[in-house]
Amino acid sequence: MLAVTSPSSTFPYPSTNNHANLHQYVSAQIRQLSPDRSAKASMGGKTYLRHDSAQAVEPSQTSQRPIRRVATEAPGRSTPNGLSATDRDDIGVTVNGDHRSTKPGPLVRSNTDIAPRRADLPNRPEPAEDGWELRHGWDEQYNSAEYLGQLRAGWYMYYMDKRHETGGKPRQEDPSHNTSEWRMRDRLKTVSAALTICLNIGVDPPDVIKTNPTAKLECWIDPTASIGTNNKTMEQIGKKLQEQYEGLSIRVRYKQYLDPSVEETKKFCMSLRRNAKDERILFHYNGHGVPLPTPSGEIWVFNRNYTQYIPVSLYDLQMWLGAPSLFVFDCSNAGNIIANFDRFVAKHEEENAKARKNDPSVQLQTYGDNIQLAACGKSESLPTSPDLPADLFTCCLTTPIDISLRFFLLENPLPSDLTLRDVTRIPGRLAERRSPLGELNWIFTAITDTIAWNRLPRTTFKKLFRQDLMVAALFRNFLLSERIMRSNGCHPMSVPSLPETHNHPLWQAWDLTIEMVLAQLPAMVAAEQGGPPYEYRHSDFFTEQLTAFEVYLSQGAPNREAPSQLPIVLQVLLSQVHRLRALILLSRFLDMGPWAVNLALTIGIFPYVLKLLQSAAFELKPVMIFIWARILAVDGGCQTDLIKDNGYQYFINILNPANPLPVHNANEHRAMAAFVVAMFCRGFNQGQTVSLSPDLFNYCIGHMQDDNNPLLRHWSCLCISMLWADFPEAKWAGIRCQAHINLCKRWNDEVPDVRTAALHALNNFIGIPDLTAQVAHYEETVATLVLRMTADGSSMVRRELLVFCSTFVKRYQSKFLVAAFEQLVKEKEDLMQAGTHGDSHPKRGTLTKTDSSQDSQDSESARVSYGSVQGTMWMHLLIMSIDPHPEVAQDAKCIVDYVHERLLQSPLGPRAQPLMDDIIRLSRRAAAAKSQPPSRQPSVAPNARRTPGAGSPAPPALPKNESYLSMGMRKSASMAAALKHLTFGGHEAPAPLEEKSATTYQRIPGGPIRTRVPAEWTKPPDVYDPTTHAKAYVKAKTPKSRGYTKRGPNSSASLPLKSGFFDWSIEVLHLIEFRANHIPKNHPLTALQYFREPQMQGADSDEPGSGDYNQKLWRRSRNDKVLALTQPLKGVAGTSKWDVPMGFFNNGSQPMKMCFHQFEDHLAIADDRDTICIWDWTKHHRLNRFSNANPDGTRINEARFINEDDQAFLLTGSSDGIVRIFRNYESPENIELVSAFRGLTRRIPSAKMAGLVLDWQQGQGKLLVAGDDRVIRVWNAASEICSTEISARSSAPLTSLTTDAVAGDVLIAGYGDGALRVFDQRLRPQQAMIQIWKKHKQWITNVHMQRGGLRELVSGCRDGEVKLWDLRWRDEISTVRAVEEGSVMRGMSVHEHAPVFAAYVSPLTSNRTSQPFSLSSSNRAKSKAIIIISGSSTHTLTLYNTSSSQQQQQPLSVLEPTSPSSYSGVLPHLNRNIPIACAAFHPHRMVLAGGAMGSTWVNLWGCKGAEGG
């Protein structure tokens, strides 16, 4: 048994007490699952399949249904047939692999509202022979493997993209993003060097005892074997030492000081410091011919006559040389110098501190920044082996290759024919990397760099190996000296001190490299002497190290451990042979995230990739774009570097479509090039100037038209945005290229990110300094075009639109002050007019224009701002100030507050303040009038005739909102206008605002819809329902969006608003479809592109064994078990009683809407106001309670779970036309608002009160919304825009929607006049209606098509008639009379898979009793009985089985809700005539939930024989 845990924050592991069982369970699941890891088809990087806006294909205009492109199946989601668990169960059939069928075309449509009766269609369908065929002729296509494959391709998770997780805001700066230190701003260089050699050839110092034989060589010269005077020999040694140092750094000014006197030492030291200024000086000291350093650290030189040794104190030496300095001490007992050096530095610093105290302006020498290298410790003597040079330490520092070869030969335990002289004959030069000697030097540099990288702290590594070329070379060689000197009894010392490196494993690789070269040496020498030619076999060192680096990358960098091979990769970039592979691996490493980019920059990659921009190599372009995009995403401060040698032009040329790229997905690389150019221009005027050209504009405009690549469109927009931001010349160039018009055309782009990017660019377009009439025309044209985006479904787009509006308001502030003032005047007139009419509302059912409305239009046309862009935008801002998304509303309020504050400070202020006061007074008066109890009581018969509008109380007033003004005004003067424009279109009298009232209001509409039928027939059944008293109602907490910060009440409004979209775009995950069959396997960028987040490797949720992956596996197993458990119970539902009590619980408020989760034990219950409760219905435990935030006077009409196969969200729709989506709905601490938008943007004022109805299509990612409107809006969940508006073809309200949940093509709508219309979404909206049924005569309470089973289409209307339909026939299949004559059916609930539906009624009078149901005709097979559950006037639910004849029909069960006060089923505190308020079936299990009016208790019943399911 698997334990289901409700909160998403806990992991729903199998019930076990140890992890071993869990690992066995997960391993078993992994063996059953083999996901395709090659790619993903999601915009948010999830492991399950999700809809990619870039790949979405709109429904075809032809009869063939389009096939969506998808990259892979999702772990935990695919089934043996390729469908999700829910989808497979909905189809309810077994797919045979050899069965093929094509999907039929759209259904035949009707050209008129009255569907024609076709003679070729029979009135009744003929039953199938076995009685089990699917309805509507779908049996064949749902058994087609080809068709099921098409359905599989469109199964995604929605509202889980990066913009929903982050709210479109950049994250807080990650410490790993800090790149301020990699450049080494305080970089120094060694400019001068003093090579001090104290040998005094021929005279041994008194305290030095030499062995015989002993080491003689100095700089590889034997002083005793040379011919000539000692001075000549010293000159040769000095010259040789200088040559050795020049091999390290040739730019340093070297000066030899041979056997200097103390006066000369002082003179040249002070001269060096004077010339070097603040740069570093190298002081090399060879003391082999003078006494050992004293215990106090003194070194020795000579007097002028060379008759005495003169000590030089470290104090004096530091005073002469100052700092920064680099000291190299090659002498015995050199550790004494290191031990005393800092003591004298501290003494100098104390003296400087005293001097500064006496004279703060005094110029003093610094002494602190010093680096020291010493050959040995305090009491250690240098090696005297005759096979080694006497200056072994100096040889290690200056000639590492020569001494390494000699050391290897001496230490090699194997016999060899080579001599010490032979190792000096290796051909080549150190600077030629392709020669044997040059290759050795190249490998040595890579090895020593790598050892230092692995052993040294990062700060020490950067200081010693990346700050100064001379210091880096000496310390690389110092690592070798530590290895060689230690083997000869010495321990070299350094300041700063280094950890031990002599035992690093890479030294073995160095020995192997030397051995391979020496093994080829005899053949190479013979070839040079005229022997047979020999081709040198290069070392495999770099190839093997790249392979090791590739292994590291394949492991995914556990714990972000730095790769040991990174410095080697850097060295490989110098080779053309290995460069491409190294760049590929480097790009994979950079893909791991900002921490990897920081490591690469620290190691010194930047100069290499900057230099490679000058390379004309065609094959390097894709990977170079990739690497530069990653670098600039982490560190945008590389702009000045790109100007060098015109590096920026590299990326502008790539944007040219005429320039090919050696990669199939060239447009994705161009998107990255656009990103690089955008970062280059961002806030960098010099970069904007050099990039400005008509060609760049034309490239970006052309790429904006590429509908197949959203990433390219996105960054083309942002490239233009950064190019002309605060740069008037670029704006005029863009105007000449029509860039602003092309950006406006992106208002309906299918990807929200692109729409937002276009707004970002247009926002930066506003602000040409010279505001002429021509400039104003351009800017107002742009503003007019973008205002249509106020109805966008993406909160990120609406927020960016407000940023644009704030810039526009700031620029045209005076015009907005006039618009705001005139709006105040208009509001006051409307409120006064409504007061003089004695009613706060006009007759909303009237469609003819009255004289007052005509006068209102005349007065509006007389306004200065009427019809202007500023006036229109001001009205939109007022509407957006009550946007359902809190961040959008807050930003809009900030703009409105700003305008109102400036209005009060303007010359219009003395007139505006009284207007605001009057509006507040009139609004409160109207609210007080509305707070009086209504004269009508609910007990009045609903079918009593009423004159439309006469004496009927007005609909409930909309609530007050937050203040627009920061002056402490409780009510905004413009709130009434905002709500008026939202609800009544802006031309009728506004709904007065009221305070919260404790009285109960009633939703009583005005007049009838059709005059030929009784008025009550076209009213909603719940029209007389009371609402919970405001005082007795406890408000729940309202979930906010992630990252929402409430604006302080005293914070002043400032414009323009700041946009964080560009920074967010750098972070966002942009996944691109993988086409492995067209891209070379070894190409670096064959998979996914990215900017800052890792994309080449799979997400954590894709990695087998990860926590997210295990959770998905568990959920998949759980879902399959639920389906396997419940499918056999469908037949039981038609023959068993439904009287098994499963408990009851107190919801705390009146339940009005219920919805079960398919797989989790979650039941969502919405009450009669704005609260939603989430229950664990198996444990009767409430998990969460929160507010939907819909205004007073509205209620929640719909509640649905989406993404149920994985991590579900809760979708709600309220009667004010708002759709909201919540994440972590079951957790009080973690619940968040994911999205909120106006599903109905143009609600028509009427008395119909249908509110909002919707249906969710998980397979196609569409949300169908209708209600008090004349259109059905189809919202695309991936693009978050209304993709289609289908005409409702009726003036009656649309009361119910249902679709084919699997294919999602057919839509059935029920209306307030009893009509049913069928639409095919594959056709054009004007031709979408294909069928109409007018068999019902009253308000349709519900129409529903089953997701599984036989796909029954069931409709129920107000008078209690329930009809079953087949889309192929013009008449109903059967009719059920669910209620007694004269009663009202409140609603109907249909089981998704079992042949069950529930109908609950409302009695007209208290003395009516329930009657059994009857079918008008029976064509169903006996085994296909439909259970009818109806509520009666006795407060019961009655269940019927219609398989028996109508005369013998008996109820299966009679149910009454229970409460703790009554175990008999009777509620003593309730009127038993009060009807059932709501009922809902579990989608799979045989469970029914119900609640009664006037009761807060919810009851659960089960089907006998199906207790386990």
Side-chain angles (χ1 to χ4, degrees), residues 25 142 206 219 273 303 317 416 473 539 671 758 839 934 951 1029 1060 1078 1148 1210 1261 1274 1344 1362 1404 1421 1457 1472:
Y25 165 77
Y142 282 165
C219 296
R273 172 50 58 196
N303 62 358
L317 185 63
S416 175
S539 173
D839 194 359
H1029 290 274
H1078 295 127
L1210 180 65
V1274 181
H1344 187 83
V1362 178
L1404 295 181
R1472 297 192 63 185

CSV table of all heavy atoms in Angstrom, one decimal, residues 25 142 206 219 273 303 317 416 473 539 671 758 839 934 951 1029 1060 1078 1148 1210 1261 1274 1344 1362 1404 1421 1457 1472:
chain,number,residue,atom,x,y,z
A,25,TYR,N,12.3,0.0,-4.5
A,25,TYR,CA,11.1,0.4,-5.3
A,25,TYR,C,11.5,1.3,-6.4
A,25,TYR,O,11.0,1.1,-7.6
A,25,TYR,CB,10.2,1.2,-4.3
A,25,TYR,CG,9.1,1.9,-5.0
A,25,TYR,CD1,8.0,1.3,-5.5
A,25,TYR,CD2,9.2,3.3,-5.1
A,25,TYR,CE1,7.0,2.0,-6.1
A,25,TYR,CE2,8.2,4.0,-5.8
A,25,TYR,CZ,7.1,3.4,-6.3
A,25,TYR,OH,6.1,4.1,-6.9
A,142,TYR,N,-10.7,6.3,-31.7
A,142,TYR,CA,-10.0,6.1,-30.4
A,142,TYR,C,-9.4,4.7,-30.3
A,142,TYR,O,-8.8,4.4,-29.2
A,142,TYR,CB,-11.0,6.3,-29.2
A,142,TYR,CG,-11.3,7.7,-29.0
A,142,TYR,CD1,-12.4,8.1,-28.2
A,142,TYR,CD2,-10.5,8.7,-29.5
A,142,TYR,CE1,-12.6,9.5,-27.9
A,142,TYR,CE2,-10.7,10.0,-29.2
A,142,TYR,CZ,-11.8,10.4,-28.5
A,142,TYR,OH,-12.0,11.8,-28.2
A,206,PRO,N,84.5,31.6,4.1
A,206,PRO,CA,85.1,30.9,5.3
A,206,PRO,C,84.2,29.9,5.9
A,206,PRO,O,84.7,28.9,6.5
A,206,PRO,CB,85.4,32.1,6.2
A,206,PRO,CG,84.5,33.2,5.8
A,206,PRO,CD,84.4,33.1,4.3
A,219,CYS,N,74.6,28.6,-13.6
A,219,CYS,CA,73.9,28.9,-14.8
A,219,CYS,C,74.4,28.1,-16.0
A,219,CYS,O,74.6,28.5,-17.1
A,219,CYS,CB,74.1,30.4,-15.2
A,219,CYS,SG,73.4,31.5,-14.0
A,273,ARG,N,64.1,51.4,-7.6
A,273,ARG,CA,62.8,51.8,-7.1
A,273,ARG,C,62.4,53.1,-7.6
A,273,ARG,O,61.2,53.3,-7.9
A,273,ARG,CB,63.0,51.9,-5.5
A,273,ARG,CG,61.7,52.5,-4.8
A,273,ARG,CD,60.4,51.8,-5.3
A,273,ARG,NE,60.4,50.4,-5.1
A,273,ARG,CZ,59.5,49.6,-5.7
A,273,ARG,NH1,58.7,50.1,-6.6
A,273,ARG,NH2,59.6,48.3,-5.4
A,303,ASN,N,83.4,44.7,-0.1
A,303,ASN,CA,83.8,46.1,-0.1
A,303,ASN,C,84.4,46.4,-1.4
A,303,ASN,O,84.5,45.5,-2.3
A,303,ASN,CB,84.8,46.3,1.1
A,303,ASN,CG,86.1,45.5,0.9
A,303,ASN,OD1,86.2,44.7,-0.1
A,303,ASN,ND2,87.1,45.7,1.8
A,317,LEU,N,68.1,46.8,3.2
A,317,LEU,CA,67.7,46.3,1.8
A,317,LEU,C,66.2,46.7,1.5
A,317,LEU,O,65.9,47.1,0.4
A,317,LEU,CB,67.9,44.8,1.7
A,317,LEU,CG,67.6,44.2,0.4
A,317,LEU,CD1,68.6,44.7,-0.6
A,317,LEU,CD2,67.8,42.6,0.5
A,416,SER,N,69.6,2.9,-18.6
A,416,SER,CA,69.4,3.7,-19.8
A,416,SER,C,70.8,4.0,-20.5
A,416,SER,O,71.8,4.1,-19.8
A,416,SER,CB,68.7,5.0,-19.5
A,416,SER,OG,68.6,5.8,-20.7
A,473,ALA,N,55.5,32.8,-13.6
A,473,ALA,CA,56.5,31.9,-14.2
A,473,ALA,C,57.4,31.3,-13.1
A,473,ALA,O,57.7,30.1,-13.0
A,473,ALA,CB,57.3,32.6,-15.2
A,539,SER,N,53.0,13.8,-27.8
A,539,SER,CA,52.5,13.2,-26.5
A,539,SER,C,50.9,13.2,-26.5
A,539,SER,O,50.3,14.1,-27.1
A,539,SER,CB,52.9,14.1,-25.3
A,539,SER,OG,52.3,13.7,-24.1
A,671,ALA,N,20.2,33.9,-32.0
A,671,ALA,CA,19.6,34.5,-30.8
A,671,ALA,C,20.6,34.8,-29.7
A,671,ALA,O,20.6,35.8,-29.0
A,671,ALA,CB,18.5,33.5,-30.2
A,758,ALA,N,9.0,42.9,-26.6
A,758,ALA,CA,8.6,44.0,-27.5
A,758,ALA,C,8.2,45.3,-26.7
A,758,ALA,O,8.5,46.4,-27.0
A,758,ALA,CB,7.5,43.5,-28.4
A,839,ASP,N,-32.2,55.6,-8.0
A,839,ASP,CA,-31.6,54.2,-8.0
A,839,ASP,C,-30.1,54.3,-8.4
A,839,ASP,O,-29.8,55.2,-9.2
A,839,ASP,CB,-32.4,53.3,-9.1
A,839,ASP,CG,-32.0,51.9,-8.9
A,839,ASP,OD1,-31.2,51.5,-8.0
A,839,ASP,OD2,-32.6,51.1,-9.7
A,934,PRO,N,-33.4,44.3,1.7
A,934,PRO,CA,-34.3,44.2,0.5
A,934,PRO,C,-35.7,43.9,0.9
A,934,PRO,O,-35.9,43.2,1.9
A,934,PRO,CB,-33.7,43.1,-0.4
A,934,PRO,CG,-33.0,42.3,0.6
A,934,PRO,CD,-32.5,43.1,1.7
A,951,GLY,N,-39.2,48.1,-8.9
A,951,GLY,CA,-39.2,47.7,-7.5
A,951,GLY,C,-38.2,46.6,-7.2
A,951,GLY,O,-38.1,46.2,-6.0
A,1029,HIS,N,-24.0,36.1,6.1
A,1029,HIS,CA,-23.9,37.4,6.6
A,1029,HIS,C,-22.4,37.8,6.7
A,1029,HIS,O,-21.5,37.0,7.1
A,1029,HIS,CB,-24.5,37.5,8.0
A,1029,HIS,CG,-26.0,37.4,8.0
A,1029,HIS,ND1,-26.8,38.5,7.8
A,1029,HIS,CD2,-26.8,36.3,8.1
A,1029,HIS,CE1,-28.1,38.1,7.8
A,1029,HIS,NE2,-28.1,36.8,8.0
A,1060,GLY,N,12.4,44.9,-14.5
A,1060,GLY,CA,13.4,43.9,-14.3
A,1060,GLY,C,13.4,42.8,-15.3
A,1060,GLY,O,14.0,41.7,-15.1
A,1078,HIS,N,19.6,15.8,-37.5
A,1078,HIS,CA,20.1,16.8,-38.5
A,1078,HIS,C,21.4,17.5,-38.1
A,1078,HIS,O,22.0,18.2,-38.8
A,1078,HIS,CB,19.1,17.9,-38.8
A,1078,HIS,CG,17.9,17.3,-39.5
A,1078,HIS,ND1,16.6,17.6,-39.0
A,1078,HIS,CD2,17.7,16.6,-40.5
A,1078,HIS,CE1,15.7,17.0,-39.7
A,1078,HIS,NE2,16.4,16.3,-40.7
A,1148,GLY,N,-17.2,24.7,7.6
A,1148,GLY,CA,-17.1,26.0,8.2
A,1148,GLY,C,-17.8,27.1,7.5
A,1148,GLY,O,-18.0,28.2,8.0
A,1210,LEU,N,-4.7,24.5,-8.8
A,1210,LEU,CA,-6.1,24.7,-8.6
A,1210,LEU,C,-6.5,26.0,-9.4
A,1210,LEU,O,-5.9,27.0,-9.3
A,1210,LEU,CB,-6.5,24.9,-7.1
A,1210,LEU,CG,-8.0,25.2,-6.9
A,1210,LEU,CD1,-8.8,23.9,-7.3
A,1210,LEU,CD2,-8.2,25.6,-5.4
A,1261,GLY,N,-4.2,22.1,-23.7
A,1261,GLY,CA,-3.8,23.3,-23.0
A,1261,GLY,C,-4.7,24.5,-23.3
A,1261,GLY,O,-4.1,25.6,-23.4
A,1274,VAL,N,-11.4,31.2,-26.1
A,1274,VAL,CA,-10.5,30.1,-26.0
A,1274,VAL,C,-9.1,30.6,-25.6
A,1274,VAL,O,-8.4,31.3,-26.4
A,1274,VAL,CB,-10.4,29.3,-27.3
A,1274,VAL,CG1,-9.5,28.1,-27.1
A,1274,VAL,CG2,-11.8,28.8,-27.7
A,1344,HIS,N,-22.7,18.1,-20.0
A,1344,HIS,CA,-21.4,17.5,-19.7
A,1344,HIS,C,-21.2,16.3,-20.6
A,1344,HIS,O,-22.1,15.5,-20.8
A,1344,HIS,CB,-21.3,17.1,-18.2
A,1344,HIS,CG,-20.0,16.6,-17.8
A,1344,HIS,ND1,-18.9,17.4,-17.5
A,1344,HIS,CD2,-19.5,15.3,-17.7
A,1344,HIS,CE1,-17.9,16.7,-17.2
A,1344,HIS,NE2,-18.2,15.4,-17.3
A,1362,VAL,N,-33.6,15.9,-18.2
A,1362,VAL,CA,-32.2,15.5,-18.5
A,1362,VAL,C,-32.2,14.7,-19.8
A,1362,VAL,O,-33.0,13.7,-19.9
A,1362,VAL,CB,-31.7,14.6,-17.3
A,1362,VAL,CG1,-30.2,14.2,-17.6
A,1362,VAL,CG2,-31.7,15.4,-16.0
A,1404,LEU,N,-40.6,24.3,-5.2
A,1404,LEU,CA,-41.3,25.6,-5.3
A,1404,LEU,C,-42.2,25.9,-4.0
A,1404,LEU,O,-42.3,27.0,-3.6
A,1404,LEU,CB,-42.2,25.7,-6.5
A,1404,LEU,CG,-41.5,25.6,-7.9
A,1404,LEU,CD1,-42.5,25.7,-9.0
A,1404,LEU,CD2,-40.5,26.7,-8.0
A,1421,ALA,N,-28.8,-0.4,-23.9
A,1421,ALA,CA,-28.6,-1.8,-23.6
A,1421,ALA,C,-28.9,-2.0,-22.1
A,1421,ALA,O,-28.7,-1.2,-21.3
A,1421,ALA,CB,-27.2,-2.3,-23.9
A,1457,PRO,N,-28.3,14.1,3.9
A,1457,PRO,CA,-27.1,14.6,4.5
A,1457,PRO,C,-27.2,14.5,6.0
A,1457,PRO,O,-28.3,14.6,6.6
A,1457,PRO,CB,-27.0,16.1,4.1
A,1457,PRO,CG,-27.8,16.2,2.9
A,1457,PRO,CD,-28.9,15.2,3.0
A,1472,ARG,N,-36.3,21.1,6.2
A,1472,ARG,CA,-36.1,20.0,5.4
A,1472,ARG,C,-36.5,20.3,3.9
A,1472,ARG,O,-36.3,19.5,3.0
A,1472,ARG,CB,-36.8,18.7,5.9
A,1472,ARG,CG,-36.3,18.3,7.2
A,1472,ARG,CD,-36.8,17.0,7.6
A,1472,ARG,NE,-36.4,15.9,6.7
A,1472,ARG,CZ,-36.8,14.7,6.8
A,1472,ARG,NH1,-37.6,14.3,7.7
A,1472,ARG,NH2,-36.4,13.8,5.9
